[in-house]
Amino acid sequence: RQTDSEIAVAPVTTTRTNGSPTKRKWAYAFLLGGAMSDKQGSDYRGGLYSVVVAAHVLRKHGSKADVVLMVQMAAGTTHQKLPEIEERVLELMKIRVIYLPKFR
């Protein structure tokens, strides 16, 4: 069983220059820190939606690699996760979300 701190990456079959197939594990990993901060002018959504756009562009250009977003909630927030609508967008885009512990 996989835990939240483990990242499962599906193997991608590529072809070597000599024509023989090989399997490799690839993932694009993004880090979003300070999410859900109450501080004035600190909005994480720009970073969040940049990840969504990057995943879309990578897949549009043929990438089969997994996309992983590591999220660290702001230290001062009572929230434990992103809002449901944002988690749903990430799920629909097949972006794996891993929550990191908050700084204290």
Side-chain angles (χ1 to χ4, degrees), residues 11-98:
V12 176
T13 302
T14 59
T15 305
R16 295 185 180 133
T17 53
N18 66 4
S20 64
T22 183
K23 289 192 182 238
R24 295 182 178 173
K25 292 184 179 185
W26 296 101
Y28 290 96
F30 296 88
L31 176 63
L32 181 68
M36 301 299 292
S37 176
D38 296 330
K39 292 183 181 177
Q40 182 76 15
S42 62
D43 193 356
Y44 66 95
R45 287 178 190 91
L48 177 73
Y49 289 109
S50 292
V51 174
V52 172
V53 170
H56 173 75
V57 170
L58 288 165
R59 293 188 180 122
K60 183 177 177 180
H61 289 282
S63 176
K64 303 291 185 207
D66 290 349
V67 178
V68 178
L69 174 61
M70 294 174 279
V71 177
Q72 185 175 52
M73 305 304 286
T77 187
T78 57
H79 297 278
Q80 300 300 313
K81 293 187 170 204
L82 295 171
E84 191 174 318
I85 185 80
E86 292 170 357
E87 283 196 330
R88 182 72 178 132
V89 167
L90 295 168
E91 178 185 338
L92 288 170
M93 290 298 297
K94 294 180 177 35
I95 298 172
R96 168 100 191 276
V97 179
I98 297 173

